[in-house]
Amino acid sequence: MNGEPDLCIGGAWRHASDGGTRSSINPADGSVAGVVDEATVEDARAAVAAARTAFDDGTWPSTPVIERAALLDRVADLLQRDKESLSLLETADTGKTLAESRIDIDDVTSVFRYYAKLVGVQSDRLVDVGDASVVSRVVREPIGVCVLIAPWNYPLLQMSWKIAPALAAGCTMVAKPSEVTPLSTIAFVHLLEEAGVPPGVVNLVQGSGAVLGDALTGDPAVDFVSFTGGLATGRTISRVAAEHVTKVAVELGGKNPHIVFADAADSAESFDMAVDHVLTGVFLHSGQVCSAGTRLIVEESIADDFVAALAERAAKIRVGNGMDPASETGPLVSEQHRDKVEAYVALGISEGAKLVVGGERPSDPALADGSYYLPTIFDRCDRTMRIVTEETFGPILTVERFTDEAEAIRLGNDTDYGLAAGVRTSDAARGERVVRALRHGTVWLNDFGYYTAAAEWGGFGKSGNGRELGPAGLAEYQEMKHIWHNTAPMPAGWFKG
Ligand code: NAP
């Protein structure tokens, strides 16, 4: 049995009903970052039931918007108060550098501030039906009980994209973080309590998705499932939720192109900046980013020089423990995940891609106990290779080459996914043409990787459906209701008898 209970159900903190626990491993050195209660299927069902009761009988759905917004702002204040402790938990669980974790907590704060403001300015829509005695209006109501399932790469950030709009809308919810990275979400739910979230509004279960998944997503008491994770899991969840016609939004993987035209690198300065952006776009967080620019699509005339410069800088990236300020990127999230990445590197070699740099674990004995992997670049890749078409979710960049704009667009769109893409060109007209032609949910022109809480995030194609962030990210948690109020009703007069 663990010390403090980690499951929050109906406002009460409890241990798992069978006393089960799981150790969360720090991927930097293999040590135990924390031991947490692991929910059973019964616990998951109890959490859904508690969320249902809080929605049907509780006060949160009808709490005035101004009070809900104030609570979100209080959460933002507490996040900043606890920024350092939350960042340390995030680094211990994921391995990412402390600098990245601090940015994550600032971003989580911005999400709460944004939805506090947005929900406060939403208004009903009056509809003129051409009859002065009829008041017709469309109002927004909370969708109900939500199941929120997050991945391990940005544990608290991805969860905040769900919890903040769900709270703003007046929903109740069950949150399930990844079994690999539960620690920051547990601390965060304590913080929500402190901010004044009523009992039962936010319930928390951690544990294996494979075990708890169906109990959460297939429960008829659930009105909406918001999931972020891999394609295979997204398919399963969509199938299970379909049984009760439960609404589902899935944010899935990506295989994101970064297209570099020669004119974007025609001076020493612009060349270096293009290299810098491609490098950061793919190797940040050791490539464990859904929107990582893992496919470099570069104009043939500069390709050799560009790849050589990339390789030189990739070899200098300081891979190390995220707690060490000198580290520029941390380990992969687990041994199992590194195995998967290593298998992709072996596959790339066997498919005939040219390994330019990396392709191995670091040799530094100080890193031997962690799941580190060196930034890796494959040149001479093409679309017949699985290394180019499948999401590796590791520090692997593949290089394809093009000779004209049409080919660049064709390659950029030649993917089942459609989450994000980057375009670099100094020709503004071409830039606009290409970004409009790309079938991806976010496209950066002469930049890469940035997002804001105020703009929608989501994918085309198999990168998912639905949107997070922005007004659409709040609308996911709201039902639209049309109210027709006739202030002076008359007989319909249709049936004469
Ligand atoms: P995953 O294996 O699909 O897991 C995601 C979450 O789903 C975890 O909490 C997992 O629990 C849970 N889960 C697993 N099986 C389930 C089931 N049958 N029913 C319900 N839940 C289930 O993905 P991951 O490896 O954690 O994350 C990496 C993936 O997320 C990548 O593909 C990445 O591109 C994607 N991602 C997408 C975005 C985006 O915005 N589009 C953002 C971040 C990440 P367990 O951990 O217990 O298995």
Side-chain angles (χ1 to χ4, degrees):
M1 183 70 73
N2 191 17
E4 293 296 310
D6 302 312
L7 311 181
C8 185
I9 300 174
W13 287 89
R14 2 171 151 161
H15 295 293
S17 51
D18 67 355
T21 59
R22 173 188 288 268
S23 296
S24 189
I25 303 300
N26 183 337
D29 55 13
S31 63
V32 174
V35 178
V36 302
D37 295 309
E38 181 157 72
T40 61
V41 166
E42 289 67 39
D43 296 327
R45 292 204 178 107
V48 172
R52 187 77 257 168
T53 302
F55 189 83
D56 294 341
D57 305 334
T59 55
W60 186 246
S62 56
T63 296
V65 160
I66 194 165
E67 288 177 32
R68 294 208 297 261
L71 183 140
L72 264 69
D73 267 329
R74 278 200 299 283
V75 173
D77 293 341
L78 295 177
L79 279 160
Q80 284 303 297
R81 183 198 68 189
D82 293 350
K83 176 173 166 179
E84 200 57 17
S85 58
L86 289 166
S87 303
L88 287 165
L89 284 177
E90 208 70 314
T91 289
D93 239 4
T94 63
K96 66 175 66 180
T97 63
L98 196 51
E100 286 175 88
S101 293
R102 289 178 181 133
I103 293 170
D104 284 3
I105 304 306
D106 283 343
D107 285 357
V108 173
T109 309
S110 310
V111 173
F112 275 84
R113 295 256 187 250
Y114 171 71
Y115 281 116
K117 278 204 185 63
L118 183 68
V119 76
V121 297
Q122 278 195 329
S123 54
D124 298 346
R125 181 159 54 92
L126 284 177
V127 180
D128 183 352
V129 298
D131 180 342
S133 62
V134 171
V135 181
S136 164
R137 65 194 198 277
V138 177
V139 301
R140 293 182 180 82
E141 298 190 350
I143 195 167
V145 172
C146 306
V147 164
L148 313 175
I149 301 177
W152 47 256
N153 61 336
Y154 288 89
L156 200 49
L157 185 60
Q158 294 296 333
M159 194 57 98
S160 76
W161 291 13
K162 304 176 190 309
I163 291 184
L167 281 175
C171 295
T172 62
M173 62 211 77
V174 179
K176 194 204 90 61
S178 167
E179 62 186 328
V180 185
T181 55
L183 300 183
S184 58
T185 308
I186 297 170
F188 179 63
V189 173
H190 281 289
L191 184 151
L192 291 176
E193 253 184 350
E194 185 183 345
V197 173
V201 171
V202 179
N203 301 276
L204 171 68
V205 289
Q206 50 282 326
S208 156
V211 173
L212 305 180
D214 289 8
L216 293 170
T217 62
D219 191 320
V222 171
D223 298 296
F224 177 46
V225 177
S226 175
F227 165 77
T228 303
L231 175 57
T233 317
R235 276 200 180 105
T236 303
I237 288 175
S238 302
R239 270 197 296 266
V240 172
E243 178 64 23
H244 298 292
V245 202
T246 305
K247 179 182 163 184
V248 174
V250 291
E251 298 286 346
L252 309 177
K255 192 69 188 176
N256 313 292
H258 199 161
I259 299 171
V260 178
F261 286 92
D263 63 15
D266 55 6
S267 68
E269 196 185 7
S270 65
F271 183 94
D272 287 349
M273 178 136 63
V275 168
D276 181 71
H277 284 196
V278 170
L279 197 78
T280 313
V282 63
F283 293 129
L284 193 77
H285 195 12
S286 290
Q288 302 167 112
V289 181
C290 53
S291 53
T294 50
R295 289 177 65 204
L296 170 63
I297 298 174
V298 59
E299 194 160 354
E300 179 68 60
S301 59
I302 60 162
D304 286 344
D305 290 346
F306 201 80
V307 172
L310 270 175
E312 192 186 328
R313 285 200 54 188
K316 291 182 188 156
I317 290 176
R318 291 197 299 269
V319 178
N321 190 320
M323 294 300 294
D324 179 351
S327 301
E328 294 174 321
T329 190
L332 298 179
V333 76
S334 64
E335 291 283 347
Q336 295 85 331
H337 187 53
R338 181 172 62 180
D339 290 347
K340 184 182 151 195
V341 169
E342 284 183 323
Y344 268 116
V345 171
L347 178 69
I349 292 167
S350 72
E351 288 177 316
K354 182 182 166 203
L355 181 64
V356 180
V357 69
E360 59 186 351
R361 301 176 182 190
S363 54
D364 182 353
L367 304 182
D369 292 335
S371 41
Y372 299 91
Y373 202 76
L374 291 179
T376 297
I377 299 177
F378 280 114
D379 197 2
R380 302 286 168 188
C381 297
D382 65 59
R383 301 279 304 142
T384 64
M385 300 174 177
R386 281 175 54 203
I387 192 105
V388 175
T389 57
E390 295 177 14
E391 186 186 45
T392 64
F393 223 53
I396 301 176
L397 178 71
T398 61
V399 184
E400 298 157 84
R401 297 156 182 242
F402 69 90
T403 50
D404 61 28
E405 184 180 315
E407 188 183 14
I409 293 169
R410 187 179 58 72
L411 285 171
N413 282 336
D414 190 8
T415 169
D416 289 343
Y417 290 110
L419 186 61
V423 180
R424 303 196 67 80
T425 176
S426 59
D427 178 339
R430 170 153 67 192
E432 283 299 320
R433 277 195 306 274
V434 177
V435 297
R436 293 308 298 260
L438 287 172
R439 302 269 307 153
H440 295 264
T442 295
V443 185
W444 294 284
L445 181 52
N446 296 330
D447 217 331
F448 202 91
Y450 290 96
Y451 79 98
T452 159
E456 276 75 4
W457 179 267
F460 288 26
K462 291 194 173 55
S463 287
N465 56 51
R467 287 292 180 272
E468 297 198 289
L469 304 180
L474 178 57
E476 295 281 7
Y477 294 87
Q478 295 173 319
E479 289 281 18
M480 308 287 265
K481 179 186 283 178
H482 176 207
I483 299 174
W484 175 290
H485 178 187
N486 195 335
T487 58
M490 302 283 287
W494 186 265
F495 298 110
K496 309 298 179 203

